Amino acid sequence: MTETMPPGTANPGGPGGDPASVVVKPTRRQSVRSAIAVGFGSAIEWYDYGLYAFVAGLIIAPLFFSGATGAVGLLASFGTFAVGFVARPIGGLVLGALSDRWGRRPVLMLSILMIGIATTLIGCLPPYASIGVAAPIMLVILRLIQGFGAGAELAGAITMVNESAQLKRKGFFSSLAMAGAGAGGLLALIIFTTSSTVLGPEEFSSWGWRIPFLFSAVLTIIGVVMRRKLHESPEFEAVERERKAGLVREARRNPFVAFARAFKASPRNWIAGFLIPSGLNVTGYIVTAFGISYLVGTVGLPQNQALFVSLSCSLVMLIFVAVFGAVSDRIGSKRVIYISVIGAVVWVVPYYLILNTGNLAFIIVASGVMLALGWAAGSAAHTVLMPAFFKAEFRSAGLFSSRELQGALIAGPAPLIATAIVVATGGAPWGAAGLIIVAQLLTLVGVLIAKPWVSAAEKAETPALAGITPRED
């Protein structure tokens, strides 16, 4: 059963105690059940997005952009990768408002259905050779549907798991929302690699590539069943009780009004929420999406070896995000994100130098270190910090919109921009390295300007909030 601490000082804006000063204390059972059910949904999202990233340069370009060969075809395929991110902030805006009004659980049910159905239908699409220009058009439409649903999936998972996490282990349990991302990417790669190996290059390019996409239907059904049994977030239930008591305003129906309310409460926190995911997202997508095409197209690594690199990367993402989540429960999430920024900036140049050696063992180690520092540490830390930027009653509207707009403007186009820069510079990787450095510095700015809504009582109960100055206004 969820426990709460008594309210603190009276709230001038309401007839009772300040809801922000109430510390909701979920049980271990709530933490575990939420992490498993929600993390599985995140795995499906990253299975779908990771799968598309794997096939973007290898399959999508020749099948859906006939006549666009070489660098042009690669740019076109990564363009459709970026298109999925265009709809994410729209989905984040609309579904974020619904999450604050309906609850976290029903919106997470909706998001997983949208992503799963769109991914399955991509596996059914006929190629350009069969239906002409309608093929890439339909691909773009399905990517937009994927993106709209994804606008609530990972941000919603972070919110739900964070609000359901035990305070003493908030860092570890919250990080499991992102561990699902690593698991999904790993599963996508295993199925993709197995299918391509068993069928052979010709059969796989002809029809076998559809198998991993169609398998998304199975995963989606399992995810829906798991989430049907999921209880609502304890923090959202507490907000609902406060609303009934007249202590908190009702959630707004209009998504733009809901967004405005979250932004107005603390513009600096919304901006911080926009900036902080930059480093981890850009690092993750450049290493896993652009990096594979760079290894194959520029370095000349055989495709089967490049896929083995991807497999290693997914394992690192899965393991180290949980490791850094546990570390944040010891030293605080703020310090962990500093480790991420500094580590990524220092390692990015050696990383690309090692890629260019073409040595498989060295490449695997270099990519693993890059993702452990630049993605896993930042991912774990931001699952604690981001929810703290917004009060629970408008958390989804603020978190979804800030995080997903960042995805559309910065993270999504990263592989496309990196590819364009490398092409323009004759294959030199330093432009891509520069993108990672800039993105990590944006994360640092976000951490420095943020002023999280954390009470002294909550900080005292939550080791992962160490280093954050309490705020009682």
Side-chain angles (χ1 to χ4, degrees):
M1 183 174 179
T2 304
E3 303 175 38
T4 60
M5 292 179 63
T9 57
N11 177 12
D18 179 5
S21 67
V22 177
V23 181
V24 179
K25 302 173 69 175
T27 64
R28 177 179 176 80
R29 185 184 181 194
Q30 287 173 318
S31 301
V32 172
R33 292 185 65 176
S34 174
I36 292 174
V38 176
F40 187 86
S42 297
I44 294 174
E45 179 198 351
W46 274 64
Y47 172 86
D48 297 343
Y49 266 74
L51 180 62
Y52 191 88
F54 296 146
V55 304
L58 304 175
I59 301 295
I60 297 298
L63 284 181
F64 289 90
F65 299 96
S66 180
T69 59
V72 176
L74 194 60
L75 286 170
S77 61
F78 279 132
T80 55
F81 180 81
V83 157
F85 286 84
V86 173
R88 288 183 75 133
I90 301 172
L93 192 69
V94 174
L95 299 178
L98 292 179
S99 178
D100 286 330
R101 186 171 180 83
W102 292 352
R104 317 312 190 202
R105 178 180 171 275
V107 170
L108 283 171
M109 290 284 287
L110 177 61
S111 67
I112 198 175
L113 283 169
M114 294 184 71
I115 295 170
I117 291 172
T119 303
T120 303
L121 290 177
I122 288 177
C124 300
L125 283 180
Y128 185 95
S130 299
I131 60 174
V133 72
I137 291 175
M138 293 171 69
L139 177 63
V140 168
I141 291 172
L142 290 175
R143 286 288 294 161
L144 288 171
I145 295 172
Q146 266 189 334
F148 188 92
E153 179 53 47
L154 190 51
I158 291 170
T159 302
M160 181 72 166
V161 177
N162 179 277
E163 291 182 347
S164 304
Q166 273 188 306
L167 301 185
K168 294 292 185 183
R169 304 194 68 194
K170 187 177 281 285
F172 174 73
F173 280 115
S174 296
S175 73
L176 296 183
M178 296 299 292
L186 178 61
L187 181 60
L189 184 58
I190 290 172
I191 294 178
F192 175 81
T193 305
T194 302
S195 302
S196 60
T197 301
V198 171
L199 296 174
E202 288 190 13
E203 292 293 316
F204 185 76
S205 297
S206 175
W207 60 269
W209 65 273
R210 300 179 184 277
I211 295 173
F213 284 91
L214 297 176
F215 185 67
S216 178
V218 177
L219 297 177
T220 301
I221 292 170
I222 296 173
V224 168
V225 171
M226 291 179 68
R227 287 189 175 178
R228 282 188 64 188
K229 300 178 181 179
L230 184 65
H231 291 294
E232 186 53 80
S233 146
E235 281 197 49
F236 182 79
E237 290 180 333
V239 168
E240 287 286 84
R241 291 193 294 270
E242 296 286 354
R243 283 174 176 156
K244 290 178 181 178
L247 302 177
V248 172
R249 287 183 296 174
E250 290 292 330
R252 308 309 295 264
R253 290 189 178 89
N254 188 316
F256 295 101
V257 175
F259 157 73
R261 181 185 175 197
F263 183 86
K264 185 178 179 181
S266 182
R268 66 192 294 164
N269 279 0
W270 191 93
I271 294 171
F274 174 87
L275 294 175
I276 281 180
S278 300
L280 69 97
N281 280 341
V282 170
T283 300
Y285 284 122
I286 285 185
V287 174
T288 59
F290 164 78
I292 298 304
S293 63
Y294 178 80
L295 285 171
V296 174
T298 303
V299 177
L301 200 70
Q303 182 175 321
N304 64 328
Q305 292 188 14
L307 291 174
F308 192 72
V309 174
S310 290
L311 176 64
S312 303
C313 288
S314 295
L315 280 171
V316 168
M317 294 170 77
L318 173 61
I319 295 169
F320 277 89
V321 70
V323 168
F324 278 110
V327 169
S328 71
D329 285 325
R330 292 183 174 272
I331 67 173
S333 296
K334 195 171 182 181
R335 296 185 181 100
V336 169
I337 213 163
Y338 288 149
I339 292 172
S340 180
V341 171
I342 295 170
V345 169
V346 170
W347 184 246
V348 68
V349 171
Y351 162 68
Y352 277 110
L353 288 173
I354 293 171
L355 289 193
N356 284 321
T357 68
N359 184 293
L360 179 61
F362 290 168
I363 288 171
I364 289 172
V365 173
S367 300
V369 172
M370 192 73 238
L371 284 172
L373 294 173
W375 185 86
S379 293
H382 99 299
T383 61
V384 174
L385 295 175
M386 290 280 288
F389 295 163
F390 308 97
K391 290 185 177 181
E393 59 262 35
F394 50 77
R395 179 169 291 147
S396 293
L399 195 156
F400 289 22
S401 60
S402 60
R403 195 182 191 284
E404 299 311 327
L405 184 62
Q406 183 279 336
L409 297 181
I410 298 177
L416 176 64
I417 295 171
T419 301
I421 293 174
V422 169
V423 169
T425 55
W430 309 121
L435 285 179
I436 290 177
I437 292 172
V438 170
Q440 292 289 347
L441 293 178
L442 290 177
T443 292
L444 180 61
V445 172
V447 174
L448 294 176
I449 67 171
K451 197 175 179 183
W453 297 97
V454 173
S455 68
E458 186 179 8
K459 180 182 176 182
E461 293 275 337
T462 314
L465 298 176
I468 294 176
T469 302
R471 174 177 177 174
E472 301 287 0
D473 55 337

